[in-house]
Structure formats: C-alpha cells, structure tokens
Amino acid sequence: MNPFGPTALTLENLTIGYRSPVVTDINLTVPPGVFVSLLGANGSGKTTLLRTISRRLKPLAGRITLFDQPLKTFKALDLAKTLSVVLTDKAEVPMLRVLEFVALGRHPHSDFLGRLTDKDLLAVEESLFAVKADKLANRFVDELSDGERQKVVLARALAQNPRITLLDEPTAHLDLKHRLEFLAILRNLCRQIGLTVIAAAHDVESAARFSDLVMTLKDGRLQDFGRPEEVLKPEAIRTLYDCPEANFDSALGGLEMTPDGRAGRAFVLGGQDSAALAYRLLAKQGYALATGFFLATDLDAHVARSLGAKVFSFKNADNPPLADLLAESLVELGQCDFLVIAGDMGGFSEGLTKLKAEAKKLNIPILSLGPNGELTPLIEGLALYRSSRAA
Amino acid sequence: MEAVFNARLVTQTLAKRRNLVFLGLGLLTLALMVTNLVVGSLPYPIERIFYTLLHPQESGDLATIVWKIRVPRTLAAALGGAYLAASGLLLQVYFRNPIVGPYILGISSGATLLVSIIMLTPFGFRLTHATPFVTTIAGCLGAYAVMALVVAIAAKVQRGATLLILGLMMGYLCSSVTSVLTALAEKEKIKGFVLWGMGSFSGFKQVEIGILIVFGGGLLIAVYLLSKPLNAFLLGEDYAASLGVNIRRFRIFILMAASALAGLVTSMAGPVAFIGLAVPHMARLSFGTSDNRILIPGVCLTGAAVTSLCDLIARMWLNPVELPISAITAFFGAPIVIGLLLKRGARFS
C-alpha cells in the first residue's frame, strides 16, 4: 500500500511517444474516484498518454502504477477488468443491438465461448441504467444519434466493471445538452461507484466545471496538475493553447476572446449588470473597451476584465473615490472613438453629466441602450457611426 | 421507479427468434441438397435414387452416377459455399469493411497464376499426365503461397488498411503474370482456363471431399471456438486490445483461417465469386445480428444453401450445357443483396 493513501494511478518519470518522445518526465498521482481532465492543444500528446496508460503503447521511460500494481505486470484479462477505454473511433458496428454491444464489455468476465450468465446480464443492465440508456437496449447501434451512441459506448466500457476509465475526447461530437449530460454522468460515476475517470478534453469550460483535477500538457511537458480552480488561470490557458487573445475567467468559468481593437475603442458606462451584453457585442465587432464606474465585484467588472477591458472600478462601496475615477475616465475618454451609455453609473449623476459634456466637447458620438437594456438602439447607432466614418 | 427492461428477457426473445431462423435455414439447406441429388441431366425416379443412396454397396449405372457424381458434387457445393462464406465473414470482421471478400488478399489470384502455368504452358501440360490432381495441387500451392506472404507481412504491419492494399497489389501482380501467359497461350487451351477461373463444383473426387470435410471442418470448429475474441474485433483492434485480446496473435489466426478456408475451396473448385462477399450480409440480415457466435454457424448454413441453389441452377438452367458457378452466384446473388439492404434501409429511415 502507498503510505500516502490509496492511489489509482501513479506516473513516475514517465516519457511517452512513438519513436521520439512526445511528452517527457511526467510525475503525478491520481487518487481513486476523481474526475481528471486532460487538456492540451492538438498534438500535445493527450492521446499518446491515454494509449500509454492503457498499455497500447510502451512507455519510452519511467513507470506506471495502477492501483499499487505496476502496469506491466498486469495479465491482459486482469487489466481489462481494471481499466476500460472510450476511444474517438465512432465504434460503428452494423446489425448489433445495444444490448449485445454493451455485452461485448463483458469479454474479460465471461467464459471461453463468451456465453452470458445472469451475472453478466445484470452487469449489462446496470451499465445501461448508469448512463440512462436503458430504453435503448433493443435498438440497433448504427441507428442511434451521436449523443445516444456515446452513452452506449460508455455503458460498454462500464460493463467491464473497471476501476478506472480512460476517455479520448468523449464529447467531441456532442451538442451542448448531450455534452453536459454526458459529463454529469461521468461525474456521478466517480461519486457513486468510485470510478476514476481520465478524459482528454478539448473544451476548457466544461473541464473547469466538471472535473476534480486537470492536467495540462504543453511543449512536451506536464505543465500543470491540480484543481481546475487553481490551475486554470487566464495566463495558463493563454500559454497552453498559444492563444494570447484567450481570456479565461476562473470565477465565471468562461472563456472570452480579447478584441484586437482594430475597429476602434469604446468607452462604456456600465453598472448594475446592464452592460455585459453590450461588451460582448462590441468586442465581437473588434472594439477595444474601457468601462466604469462600479464595484470591482460587479458582474460587469468580471465580464469586462475577461474581455481585456480597462476597468474603472472601486473596492469600497461606502466611500467610492468617485472624483478620482471621474478624472481618470475623462482622460481615457479622449482616447476613445465613442461613448456608450449602458447604465446610470449607480446614480452618480454629476459624473454622467460631466462625461457627456466632455464627449460633446471632443465631438465623440454618444450611443445608448434602450430603456430596458435593449441592444437594438446600440446596434443601429453603431451602424450609423460606421457609415458616417466611412463617408 | 420500475425497471424499464430486463436484459434476460430481451436476450431470450432474441434467441428464440434466431433459433427459428436456424431451423428454417437448416431445412432449406437440406431440401436443396436433396434436390441436387435427385435432379440431374438424366431423369431417374426419386425412389430409385433414394434406394441407391440407402444401399451404397450396390453397383450399376445409377449407383455410379449417384455415388461418383451427384453425392460428391452436392457435398462439394454445400461445403464449398459454407467455407467461402465463413472466410468472407472473418475478413469482413477483421477489416471492419463490408465489401471485403475471401479473395481480397489475393488468394484466388495466386491459385489462378499457378493453375495458368499448368493449363497454358507446355511445361504444365506435361505435368498433367503425371497426376490427375495436378491442377488442384497447383491451385493449392498458389493460394497458400500468397497466404504465407500476406501473413508474414501482417506480423509486421500495424494497420489493417495497409494490409488490405498489400493484398490487392499482390492480386494485381499475380494477375499480370497470368495475363502474359494467357496472351502467349494457344487459343484452344484458353477456353478451358477461362472456365476454370469461373469455378465449378463438378468432378470432385472422393479423396477431395474427404480433405474438404476433415480440414475445412477442423478449421470451422477452430473458428467457432474463437468467436468470442472475434466479437471483440467488431469494435476494431484498439478496443479488442483493451478487452484483453492478444491482437497480434489473433490477427495472424484470422488471416490464416480465412485464407486456408478459401484456398481449400479455390484449389479444388476454382475461384467462386460473390459467395464469400455476399453471404455474410444475407446472414447478418436474416439473423439480425453481428454476434459471431450466431453468425459463424449462420453464414455456413446460408452459404451452403445459397451455393447449393446456385449449383442447381448452373447445372439445370441450360441443360445439358453447364454454366460456370460464378456466373450464377453473381447474377442471382447481387440483386438479392441489394434488395435486402434497401429493405432494411427503408424500414429504419
């Protein structure tokens, strides 16, 4: 036994690859019953790592231990009873009913001819119930939708009665509803039957929401391994995907793209959550953003920051330094192409008047949202502004 | 919440339906084989044929016809059909490709090449006098030489698709040599060779039937016993490996068994088109499953029935002229497969 408690998977000084190394010197320990997401850009070695852990590929160096037993000492059938896989392969088999398909997972447990005992059938039933696909039992696998089939493919993996399941981008073909449902099923399996799940993921947001741990692969190394709340910082995501525009907000769990500002620069007066949609609209059209005045904890502040905006906010609600912020904003306004009024500045009417007056003086157009926060006036205003500038 | 389904109940219902299909197919095969014994170019009364069958020690014209001609031919057609179908099934499972047949790896081209040397060159012509089995032996050598080559390569190659292309190329190589020999051959020899190339279950000798039963039967039993790992292959090599199957060893086994079965039939009957490709589809659709534990006996019965029927037509349609078996198998078989697939498509779309 491991002196530090039970472990599902231990990788020590592991180097993986085909002939030349893809990822070198991985060291980590996964406790049992957790959902681990494996993140990394295409070609970073996610699939190679999964293939190595499932023993389809020999490690180039280092050791792998599964449940305190060295991976290479497992007998083939014992490994199949311990570890199961869900591959990216669509697993399309013509003329096979879901029940028979899932029963293929009983391979390591059934007798020489593969006859199914009552115990096997029970395991098949339970697997189908666990993924909420029991109603599909009598259907043919090749007639299922992508979402249904993926659940059935998972049920087949569960029918092996594994202690750990490796999945390679299991939600890649699924729509939002099925993706969330699938990930929720995986998480429940971790909680309820103590299954350890390691899933290569392409989607940072769902990985952040559903997994207990994430490992990130970058430039042939294990970049990070830990809780998503700690690992998935904006900077880490930017490096991981070589994507400087990406802005990951760990509090919101959402990924936003910073606008390049090619279209121009907008000053948005926000507050009271009214401006979030206006920010996204402007950012998508390529406008860099500056915004104020609100509490740093306001939703608007989060969204604006994740869009790379310059934010004029304050931390102390009782005694906001309004005068200072106003002075800074007036300078900022001078750099902007137009002013958007998407909030009342928390009732700071003096500031509002001054900013408007400054805009008039600098000949900067003023756009605004509808009385109930509707975006249409802003969209129309933007179109007008653009055509006037083009002319 | 009450259980919505019961796996045991579903399995039992499916098994019941499949047993009925087995029963029906078995009766059909039997009926076709009996018809093949009874019907021939010389019309004898049925009761006399049955009498001869039940009294093998008697002699006479009828005994000769029944025991030397009809019995071997009936058995050859049924067994040949069964083996070719099983061979096709194995390769379709291994390559996970529905349009693969037993000849995809070049088995028939190898057999044809060696047979063309016997039938078309002066060198081979001299050999023909030495033993009546010379064509069979040549076919066998050709088929198994190609098989040995493919299996040797399969041990080194990682991907099934590569192997498929290698087999195809091997087939083209053999065919090109055969074409050269055909171009150089004397005119009158060519017809015999071309007809050999379209297959026939006539002229099987008792020894050959014996070999067919013993070796082919042994191979079929081995294949059936390995239907469990074969099922794991339904999902592809990666999944099979994750289920604990030694895929390297098993890949060699599948290729060897499939080639050996097809080579056995081809060396004796010549290449018989279509059976190995189409019968697995017919069996899958009539049994409604891809489970090899059901399909292996299933394709054997279907193959025996279909080939028996085709041989009956080949013999009797333009009687007394006998048609090559490949002409019949493809002519009647292709529309049946298309019909079955379209019907299935219509039912579910």
Side-chain angles (χ1 to χ4, degrees):
Chain A
M1 277 303 287
N2 188 305
F4 304 108
T7 63
L9 173 71
T10 309
L11 310 180
E12 291 167 271
N13 307 323
L14 183 71
T15 295
I16 58 170
Y18 291 82
R19 282 198 186 87
S20 53
V22 175
V23 186
T24 49
D25 207 28
I26 309 171
N27 284 286
L28 58 85
T29 298
V30 176
V34 298
F35 184 159
V36 184
S37 285
L38 178 53
L39 290 171
N42 290 337
S44 60
K46 301 191 293 282
T47 302
T48 315
L49 181 58
L50 293 181
R51 282 173 69 89
T52 312
I53 299 173
S54 66
R55 217 168 65 175
R56 272 297 272 152
L57 200 63
K58 280 203 181 111
L60 297 180
R63 270 194 306 278
I64 303 172
T65 315
L66 263 189
F67 298 99
D68 301 313
Q69 185 185 339
L71 180 68
K72 56 183 171 194
T73 64
F74 272 89
K75 289 197 186 105
L77 284 182
D78 289 335
L79 183 60
K81 288 178 194 169
T82 308
L83 179 148
S84 68
V85 297
V86 170
L87 306 171
T88 42
D89 192 316
K90 269 193 161 188
E92 279 185 271
V93 187
M95 283 310 255
L96 202 65
R97 285 174 202 271
V98 167
L99 187 74
E100 298 172 294
F101 181 88
V102 175
L104 292 178
R106 295 304 294 167
H107 187 284
H109 299 273
S110 60
D111 69 4
F112 183 69
L113 277 177
R115 280 175 296 213
L116 299 175
T117 60
D118 282 354
K119 197 179 154 216
D120 293 317
L121 290 172
L122 192 68
V124 170
E125 253 176 62
E126 284 172 355
S127 308
L128 280 167
F129 275 120
V131 304
K132 303 190 179 92
D134 44 290
K135 291 199 178 77
L136 305 175
N138 214 12
R139 297 263 301 276
F140 283 101
V141 177
D142 54 357
E143 298 159 21
L144 300 178
S145 72
D146 282 349
E148 290 170 332
R149 185 179 43 235
Q150 203 60 357
K151 288 201 272 184
V152 168
V153 169
L154 177 61
R156 190 215 60 82
L158 293 178
Q160 280 173 249
N161 268 358
R163 298 173 74 185
I164 181 169
T165 297
L166 311 181
L167 303 97
D168 196 354
E169 306 219 340
T171 59
H173 300 288
L174 306 187
D175 62 27
L176 183 69
K177 168 184 177 254
H178 288 102
R179 186 189 310 164
L180 297 180
E181 190 186 1
F182 191 89
L183 293 170
I185 289 169
L186 279 180
R187 192 170 57 181
N188 286 344
L189 287 168
C190 296
R191 302 283 182 274
Q192 284 162 9
I193 63 170
L195 183 73
T196 308
V197 169
I198 300 184
H202 61 287
D203 171 3
V204 185
E205 295 183 19
S206 352
R209 286 203 171 84
F210 285 93
S211 45
D212 302 306
L213 294 169
V214 291
M215 48 176 118
T216 55
L217 298 177
K218 166 75 180 164
D219 294 333
R221 284 190 322 105
L222 177 69
Q223 181 181 284
D224 272 311
F225 178 61
R227 296 181 186 285
E229 295 77 13
E230 293 160 347
V231 167
L232 299 179
K233 296 279 185 244
E235 192 49 43
I237 299 296
R238 275 192 285 268
T239 356
L240 188 61
Y241 294 102
D242 281 328
C243 184
E245 305 87 35
N247 237 325
F248 186 77
D249 187 314
S250 20
L252 296 173
L255 191 66
E256 304 277 9
M257 298 300 277
T258 307
D260 57 10
R262 207 179 305 161
R265 192 168 176 84
F267 195 100
V268 184
L269 287 175
Q272 295 178 333
D273 307 344
S274 55
L277 292 175
Y279 295 146
R280 288 218 179 87
L281 185 87
L282 291 163
K284 257 184 285 187
Q285 300 199 7
Y287 293 102
L289 301 170
T291 185
F293 306 162
F294 29 68
L295 264 173
T297 50
D298 196 294
L299 175 66
D300 281 352
H302 277 290
V303 176
R305 267 195 296 271
S306 68
L307 287 166
K310 187 166 186 184
V311 182
F312 299 95
S313 61
F314 45 88
K315 294 216 169 79
N316 186 352
D318 296 332
N319 185 20
L322 289 177
D324 293 349
L325 282 176
L326 182 60
E328 290 170 31
S329 303
L330 288 172
V331 177
E332 177 64 31
L333 188 61
Q335 323 264 320
C336 291
D337 299 297
F338 53 89
L339 175 67
V340 179
I341 297 172
D344 63 353
M345 295 178 72
F348 180 37
S349 53
E350 187 199 337
L352 190 61
T353 323
K354 281 204 174 157
L355 271 166
K356 278 187 183 172
E358 179 74 6
K360 284 219 178 80
K361 198 175 92 189
L362 294 169
N363 205 13
I364 290 174
I366 301 175
L367 310 176
S368 56
L369 300 189
N372 298 313
E374 296 93 342
L375 289 171
T376 323
L378 174 60
I379 296 167
E380 288 167 357
L382 270 177
L384 208 65
Y385 163 73
R386 287 191 167 179
S387 58
S388 75
R389 236 177 46 152
Chain B
M1 200 182 95
E2 206 175 316
V4 188
F5 88 106
N6 175 322
R8 202 161 141 203
L9 209 69
V10 177
T11 333
Q12 281 167 352
T13 319
L14 288 178
K16 231 177 259 172
R17 200 182 309 162
R18 283 160 190 174
N19 286 342
L20 276 180
V21 181
F22 267 122
L23 187 69
L25 260 179
L27 289 176
L28 179 67
T29 311
L30 201 67
L32 284 165
M33 286 176 72
V34 171
T35 314
N36 268 336
L37 288 174
V38 170
V39 178
S41 44
L42 292 173
Y44 288 98
I46 295 176
E47 58 274 16
R48 281 195 60 201
I49 291 173
F50 278 124
Y51 180 83
T52 317
L53 278 173
L54 294 172
H55 300 82
Q57 68 284 6
E58 306 224 346
S59 60
D61 285 355
L62 183 58
T64 312
I65 288 174
V66 168
W67 284 106
K68 290 268 155 79
I69 298 175
R70 291 200 189 163
V71 168
R73 179 160 192 160
T74 304
L75 286 175
L79 291 172
Y83 297 167
L84 285 174
S87 170
L89 174 70
L90 284 173
L91 293 179
Q92 286 183 5
V93 170
Y94 173 69
F95 288 114
R96 298 181 75 204
N97 186 336
I99 55 160
V100 159
Y103 298 139
I104 199 79
L105 296 175
I107 305 294
S108 68
S109 314
T112 309
L113 171 60
L114 279 215
V115 168
S116 71
I117 294 175
I118 298 298
M119 292 178 85
L120 299 178
T121 65
F123 161 75
F125 191 67
R126 246 177 283 134
L127 278 180
T128 331
H129 294 294
T131 155
F133 293 114
V134 67
T135 320
T136 305
I137 293 169
C140 195
L141 281 178
Y144 288 141
V146 170
M147 172 184 112
L149 219 64
V150 168
V151 169
I153 294 171
K156 298 204 174 78
V157 173
Q158 283 289 328
R159 290 159 45 88
T162 318
L163 206 57
L164 210 57
I165 295 168
L166 271 169
L168 279 172
M169 292 306 123
M170 205 99 83
Y172 281 122
L173 275 179
C174 292
S175 305
S176 77
V177 178
T178 308
S179 307
V180 172
L181 291 180
T182 314
L184 297 175
E186 296 161 38
K187 236 186 239 162
E188 52 271 26
K189 285 183 180 168
I190 289 179
K191 185 178 178 189
F193 172 67
V194 169
L195 283 177
W196 180 88
M198 292 190 279
S200 165
F201 286 108
S202 72
F204 267 67
K205 308 196 174 49
Q206 275 168 345
V207 194
E208 292 177 308
I209 296 293
I211 293 174
L212 214 51
I213 291 176
V214 173
F215 285 94
L219 278 168
L220 273 192
I221 291 169
V223 168
Y224 181 72
L225 289 180
L226 288 168
S227 49
K228 179 181 162 179
L230 207 55
N231 273 348
F233 260 79
L234 285 174
L235 300 167
E237 285 201 349
D238 281 331
Y239 274 116
S242 83
L243 286 168
V245 178
N246 181 337
I247 55 168
R248 208 182 160 102
R249 196 190 321 160
F250 200 70
R251 174 197 317 172
I252 302 291
F253 170 80
I254 293 182
L255 294 176
M256 273 176 76
S259 308
L261 282 168
L264 197 61
V265 180
T266 308
S267 58
M268 295 178 188
V272 179
F274 197 73
I275 296 291
L277 174 79
V279 167
H281 290 283
M282 297 182 184
R284 256 194 290 273
L285 289 168
S286 33
F287 286 94
T289 187
S290 287
D291 183 347
N292 292 301
R293 283 172 301 151
I294 293 157
L295 267 195
I296 290 168
V299 290
C300 288
L301 270 183
T302 316
V306 170
T307 315
S308 296
L309 178 65
C310 288
D311 196 43
L312 184 67
I313 297 169
R315 286 192 300 135
M316 301 312 293
W317 191 16
L318 297 180
N319 184 26
V321 176
E322 192 177 316
L323 297 170
I325 184 86
S326 292
I328 307 301
T329 50
F331 191 80
F332 290 99
I336 291 175
V337 170
I338 294 172
L340 284 172
L341 289 173
L342 288 182
K343 192 178 147 215
R344 176 175 149 76
R347 186 151 54 94
F348 294 113
S349 61

